[in-house]
Amino acid sequence: MNTAALAGKHVLVTRAIEQAQPLINRIEEVGGIAHVIPLLSFQAIEEAHHMEQVRNSLEHYQWLVFTSANGVRFFFEAFKEDHLRSIIKKANIAVVGNKTEAVLNQYGYQASLLPKHYVAEDLVLVLREHINEGERVLLPRGNLGRTYLPKALSAHGIEVDDLTVYKTVCPDVAKDHIQSLINEHIPLDVITFTSSSAVKHYTQILEGLELEDPFPYARIACIGPIAEKTAQEYHLQVDITASTYTIEGLIEAISTYFKEDENY
């Protein structure tokens, strides 16, 4: 990729602060100027009755399914006792995405299944080929997880326990930071969204500021079709959607967009 593909372009990064650096690095590597306003932060779910039930019945699950790196982190923090981890090692593990797999590996576990595409629909197709009817699946994830995955698996006779291990919230300072960006007249060229939650929080902040379109010349870039669909539902015009649902794929799509725009 041309190292100056985004030369001088102002790009808004909306990822959680602990996840933002790889995207910032890639933007700067191709000449862009990154502006970071995290629209997401993650908090562990306090010990709840459902969590305790799962803790006491871990040996009854044949599969663990992780759809995000955060799901892995918060799950293993909640179930970190040695005797629980020995039980977990007996289960098959399926993950969505290479990053999720990498975090899983950091905890000393290997994925049994990794679908080619990083979306729940592909995961369902793959799991249906490997999970027998009547087997139990534990799905540790965030409070805003899509309902598609547990519903689709249940429809095929697979018992799914949807376990919320963390919640996604909008940082309190995000509104002030967006207002500052507006006040400073930063000429944003691109607003990036790597999750539906970031889209929702962005539009909620604009509503709170009573602003409809403070960055009229900014292109909206989404990491994949799920974020794109959410953005469209919130009446945002999506200009760029990555065909490979990774940070590298997103930067490639943004770079290609501006290259084609210049050629036109």
Side-chain angles (χ1 to χ4, degrees):
M1 185 189 296
N2 186 342
T3 56
L6 295 182
K9 301 295 184 186
H10 292 263
V11 184
L12 180 61
V13 176
T14 60
R15 303 196 88 191
I17 190 65
E18 62 266 32
Q19 299 176 331
Q21 199 59 51
L23 180 53
I24 295 169
N25 292 345
R26 289 300 295 123
I27 290 169
E28 294 176 346
E29 284 170 7
V30 293
I33 302 165
H35 300 273
V36 186
I37 300 181
L39 297 184
L40 305 173
S41 63
F42 308 106
Q43 300 174 1
I45 295 294
E46 294 182 2
E47 194 70 25
H49 179 62
H50 191 196
M51 190 84 77
E52 191 59 32
Q53 285 183 319
V54 170
R55 189 186 302 276
N56 293 331
S57 60
L58 273 177
E59 69 273 12
H60 299 302
Y61 295 99
Q62 285 76 43
W63 286 86
L64 286 174
V65 176
F66 294 105
T67 57
S68 72
N70 278 326
V72 175
R73 292 191 189 98
F74 284 99
F75 175 78
F76 282 107
E77 286 306 307
F79 296 85
K80 57 187 176 183
E81 294 92 339
D82 289 341
H83 73 283
L84 294 179
R85 295 202 174 188
S86 64
I87 295 173
I88 293 168
K89 283 187 178 291
K90 298 177 183 178
N92 296 296
I93 301 178
V95 300
V96 174
N98 291 329
K99 183 177 179 181
T100 307
E101 183 184 32
V103 174
L104 179 69
N105 295 159
Q106 291 174 9
Y107 282 93
Y109 296 82
Q110 299 294 322
S112 307
L113 286 177
L114 178 67
K116 182 178 180 180
H117 298 293
Y118 305 163
V119 291
E121 285 78 359
D122 270 24
L123 182 59
V124 169
L125 294 176
V126 174
L127 288 176
R128 281 171 50 191
E129 297 176 356
H130 292 83
I131 301 179
N132 298 319
E133 184 175 343
E135 288 189 319
R136 295 184 65 181
V137 172
L138 182 60
L139 180 61
R141 57 183 187 156
N143 63 316
L144 300 180
R146 296 171 61 205
T147 59
Y148 172 82
L149 183 56
K151 285 184 177 179
L153 292 175
S154 296
H156 290 280
I158 299 169
E159 186 176 346
V160 181
D161 275 343
D162 195 352
L163 178 65
T164 301
V165 292
Y166 71 92
K167 59 183 177 180
T168 303
V169 299
C170 185
D172 293 335
V173 296
K175 182 177 179 180
D176 292 338
H177 288 172
I178 286 183
Q179 183 65 69
S180 295
L181 204 62
I182 296 169
N183 295 343
E184 293 168 13
H185 303 290
I186 301 298
L188 287 183
D189 296 287
V190 186
I191 299 172
T192 62
F193 292 115
T194 57
S195 72
S196 292
S197 299
V199 174
K200 294 173 185 177
H201 293 165
Y202 177 76
T203 56
Q204 288 168 358
I205 288 172
L206 295 191
E207 289 174 2
L209 294 172
E210 298 184 350
L211 296 171
E212 185 173 340
D213 190 8
F215 308 109
Y217 302 109
R219 276 68 163 186
I220 301 295
C222 295
I223 200 168
I226 305 303
E228 177 189 33
K229 181 180 178 182
T230 303
Q232 292 169 341
E233 289 172 349
Y234 279 85
H235 308 293
L236 298 178
Q237 178 180 322
V238 179
D239 304 285
I240 305 163
T241 302
S243 55
T244 302
Y245 317 143
T246 62
I247 294 302
E248 185 63 40
L250 179 60
I251 293 299
E252 182 70 41
I254 295 171
S255 300
T256 299
Y257 176 89
F258 282 106
K259 181 179 179 180
E260 292 178 349
D261 191 51
E262 289 173 0
N263 291 340
Y264 181 78

